[in-house]
Amino acid sequence: MSRQLLAMALAPLLGLFILGIGNGFLATLITVRLDAAGESATVIGIVSSAYFIGLALGALVNDRLLLRIGHIRAYGSFASLVAVTVLLQGLFFDPWAWFGLRLIGGWATVGVYLVIESWLLTAGDQKVRGRLLALYMISLYGAGVLGQLLLGVTNAMGVTAPFMVIGLLASLSVLPMAMIPRVSPIMEHAEPLPPHRLIMLTPTGVMGSLGSGMVVAAAYTLLPLYLQRNGMSVSQVGQMMAVVIMGAMLLQYPIGRWSDRHDRQMVLIGISGFCVLISAAILWLPLSTPLLAGLLFLLGGGVFALYPVAVSHAADRAPAGALVRMSQGLLLINSIGATLSPLMISPVMTAIGDAGLFWAFGSLSLFLVMFFSWRRHVRPAPVPVAPFTPTTPMTAAGAELVVTEELMQGALEHEHLEDLSDAVWDVDAVEPVVGPPAEDESHITYYDDVEQMGVRK
């Protein structure tokens, strides 16, 4: 990576890291504080869902604001609003006021991510996006791990201290962006594929994105509740959540490499089935602290890998001209799943106890196993078209970062193999030929059951 490119990317990544340290343990802090105050799991789920509602709303409208006022001013505005909402939560306690503050905070947080991801998107061309995504992922997950480890330290400093630290970090994150040249990268308004067309294009990708949003949101917001109610201190809860995020960071890449060499539908089935087994183990095994930490490490690797593998599977089928809009649409589906998750799972925990979290995890994962198996029976999976890219985008700009040069080239090579005009009728694509190509035409094997289609290996 050139020095010029690194200089362009350094400021937004540093801002992301500083903000991410505080944001990394804010959800955990809010959950444990609400539980300590005697609120039910249902109330905690409702308050937690507000953040994801704000994320979803911001992802739909914040790009218009960014286009109007520019990147640096937008970042300062959004980060300041994050700081204000967090500091207000530290000043007084009221669950329903916290709901409103979390909603505004989610809207502002996704605005910060939009500035960072759109800046990275325009910092380099498709040839270097993979390296930019790697730096982005390291910053995001590294800050999350560090933030969770700081939860116990800040909590011991007093009731309001954690909120003050998060507010200070949000304000401090403005400095790297404020000191870069006054250049606003050019960006366009996002136009994701609507859900009904995504379902026509990639039912597996849609269900994988929805299910991933549900399990990841529950892990962030309701897993701390389970841990605290099972006798762990605030510091121990933070350490366990750091283990979950560490598993997400370290296992996503090897799982992705596995998906490059195998049928990605089978990989999705494997991930979901593995999550079923982990959930059952947590429910039924006598757990020591080290064993629970190991299981949560593996669970983090599984649930956080589900979304990027599902997106990679969807990209194996989509025409090159639809890759960006498809990725943006799947991100919106993922946000919907995250919004619904605390609202659906927290009443289960209220009804049957804290173990209801892992009953919900297991049941959802089992449903995904059955759905992915059915889809694989209905339509064999395409072969991977480009190397897996481990990533966790938060906005439409981040979804576009996933579309690397290798992915575009692979999609172009596959466009002629299937007529997808019903799903992507307004996308320029190579004229499709439904069915196998002629014997003298060079091609890439697209279906698993090639003999059934009359294609010779």
Side-chain angles (χ1 to χ4, degrees):
M1 183 179 294
S2 67
R3 291 184 179 180
Q4 182 180 3
L5 178 60
L6 183 60
M8 282 287 291
L10 184 60
L13 288 174
L14 183 58
L16 169 68
F17 183 78
I18 295 171
L19 180 81
I21 294 173
N23 199 52
F25 71 88
L26 180 57
T28 304
L29 174 66
I30 289 172
T31 296
V32 298
R33 285 292 174 86
L34 288 170
D35 180 53
E39 301 295 339
S40 68
T42 301
V43 172
I44 294 173
I46 293 172
V47 175
S48 299
S49 70
Y51 174 75
F52 297 103
I53 294 172
L55 286 180
L57 292 175
L60 292 174
V61 303
N62 281 355
D63 57 342
R64 296 180 176 88
L65 179 61
L66 182 57
L67 288 168
R68 180 171 298 178
I69 68 174
H71 282 65
I72 298 175
R73 285 192 294 174
Y75 188 98
S77 301
F78 287 131
S80 298
L81 193 54
V82 170
V84 168
T85 58
V86 173
L87 292 172
L88 284 174
Q89 286 179 270
L91 287 177
F92 66 94
F93 176 84
D94 180 82
W96 303 113
W98 278 22
F99 177 92
L101 291 172
R102 285 297 279 160
L103 184 117
I104 297 171
W107 174 79
T109 299
V110 81
V112 170
Y113 284 120
L114 177 61
V115 173
I116 293 169
E117 292 178 355
S118 60
W119 193 282
L120 293 177
L121 180 65
T122 55
D125 56 22
Q126 290 180 337
K127 295 180 181 180
V128 299
R129 284 183 182 175
R131 282 171 282 177
L132 289 172
L133 277 170
L135 292 173
Y136 176 85
M137 182 178 170
I138 291 170
S139 300
L140 186 64
Y141 281 126
V145 171
L146 181 58
Q148 295 290 349
L149 293 175
L150 287 176
L151 174 60
V153 176
T154 57
N155 193 69
M157 296 165 61
V159 176
T160 61
F163 297 99
M164 293 175 62
V165 169
I166 297 171
L168 288 171
L169 289 169
S171 299
L172 185 62
S173 73
V174 177
L175 290 181
M177 292 294 293
M179 291 188 291
I180 60 178
R182 295 183 59 184
V183 177
S184 289
I186 300 173
M187 62 176 292
E188 298 179 355
H189 177 60
E191 296 183 3
L193 284 178
H196 68 279
R197 291 171 63 188
L198 282 171
I199 293 172
M200 295 171 63
L201 178 64
T202 174
T204 298
V206 169
M207 188 55 66
S209 299
L210 182 70
S212 170
M214 296 185 71
V215 293
V216 169
Y220 271 125
T221 60
L222 298 177
L223 181 56
L225 176 62
Y226 171 87
L227 296 172
Q228 180 163 271
R229 289 186 175 179
N230 278 270
M232 291 191 175
S233 65
V234 172
S235 179
Q236 290 174 317
V237 170
Q239 292 168 7
M240 286 294 179
M241 291 302 297
V243 167
V244 173
I245 300 173
M246 185 69 72
M249 181 170 65
L250 296 181
L251 297 182
Q252 193 175 137
Y253 187 83
I255 292 174
R257 294 295 95 187
W258 176 38
S259 76
D260 284 343
R261 298 187 295 268
H262 297 83
D263 176 347
R264 282 194 170 123
Q265 282 178 320
M266 284 301 302
V267 174
L268 289 169
I269 293 170
I271 294 173
S272 303
F274 182 72
C275 291
V276 173
L277 295 177
I278 295 295
S279 299
I282 293 175
L283 286 170
W284 296 328
L285 290 180
L287 296 176
S288 62
T289 299
L291 178 57
L292 178 60
L295 291 173
L296 291 179
F297 178 86
L298 296 174
L299 184 67
V303 299
F304 280 83
L306 188 61
Y307 174 73
V309 174
V311 173
S312 296
H313 166 79
D316 291 338
R317 189 183 183 207
L323 283 173
V324 171
R325 296 181 63 195
M326 181 209 68
S327 299
Q328 293 170 344
L330 291 178
L331 180 62
L332 180 59
I333 296 294
N334 183 262
S335 300
I336 293 172
T339 300
L340 295 175
S341 174
L343 298 173
M344 296 175 62
I345 297 178
S346 58
V348 177
M349 297 179 69
T350 299
I352 68 176
D354 306 323
L357 172 64
F358 289 100
W359 281 109
F361 270 164
S363 300
L364 177 59
S365 299
L366 183 59
F367 171 78
L368 291 176
V369 169
M370 294 187 293
F371 182 87
F372 295 147
S373 299
W374 169 67
R375 285 303 307 168
R376 188 172 187 275
H377 174 74
V378 171
R379 183 186 184 280
V383 297
V385 304
F388 170 89
T389 302
T391 182
T392 310
M394 301 292 292
T395 70
E400 189 172 351
L401 271 172
V402 179
V403 183
T404 61
E405 184 180 40
E406 293 84 358
L407 189 60
M408 288 290 290
Q409 183 60 37
L412 288 170
E413 292 175 354
H414 284 73
E415 280 186 348
H416 72 289
L417 295 171
E418 187 175 9
D419 185 356
L420 298 174
S421 57
D422 288 342
V424 290
W425 51 267
D426 56 345
V427 172
D428 292 333
V430 178
E431 184 177 355
V433 178
V434 181
E439 292 185 2
D440 59 346
E441 180 181 348
S442 61
H443 64 278
I444 302 172
T445 303
Y446 191 74
Y447 294 94
D448 287 345
D449 191 4
V450 291
E451 292 181 359
Q452 179 180 346
M453 295 192 61
V455 181
R456 296 179 182 177
K457 290 186 178 181

